[in-house]
Amino acid sequence: MGIFMFHRPEPRRFNYIPRYYNPEKEALERRKAELGLDSNLSEEDKLRLKMRKSWGRVDSVDEEGDRRRSRYKTMRFVIIFGIAAVLVYFILFTPVVEDFIRMFLMLGKK
């Protein structure tokens, strides 16, 4: 910062305008636009919504999405449970683990 004789510069002002954000109202406006009803969305937002809908990426909360997520969680649980059951079966009911242990013990003796 330079030396000023008689003039002291004004501090820069920050132009911040706080805005209230209501997610329920925004979701309602998007839903209205999806259904083609009168909404307060701008033309740009309507175009974005139309593009998302045509590309199959609708962000709204719907029953089909909830069912899809629920089905995904169920399938993931079934797969993890199946893998765990197979591992438990091999560990407890087959001699595979014992053979591996014997093999490693023999290798250690040489």
Side-chain angles (χ1 to χ4, degrees), residues 44-109:
E44 182 180 340
D45 289 336
K46 287 179 183 178
L47 179 62
R48 283 185 183 156
L49 185 64
K50 186 176 179 182
M51 290 170 66
R52 280 188 190 145
K53 192 173 182 181
S54 67
W55 291 340
R57 289 177 30 198
V58 178
D59 295 333
S60 66
V61 179
D62 57 349
E63 291 179 19
E64 183 180 337
D66 291 341
R67 275 190 253 132
R68 190 177 304 139
R69 281 187 287 277
S70 176
R71 194 175 316 133
Y72 173 74
K73 286 181 181 180
T74 304
M75 287 301 297
R76 188 172 61 186
F77 175 76
V78 167
I79 291 171
I80 290 172
F81 183 76
I83 292 171
V86 168
L87 287 174
V88 167
Y89 174 76
F90 274 110
I91 291 171
L92 297 179
F93 300 113
T94 61
V96 174
V97 176
E98 293 173 8
D99 293 341
F100 278 127
I101 292 172
R102 281 193 202 114
M103 183 177 67
F104 284 119
L105 289 176
M106 284 186 210
L107 289 176
K109 291 181 183 179

Side-chain angles (χ1 to χ4, degrees), residues 32-43:
K32 280 183 184 178
E34 282 178 14
L35 296 174
L37 300 174
D38 186 30
S39 68
N40 295 335
L41 291 178
S42 67
E43 292 300 320

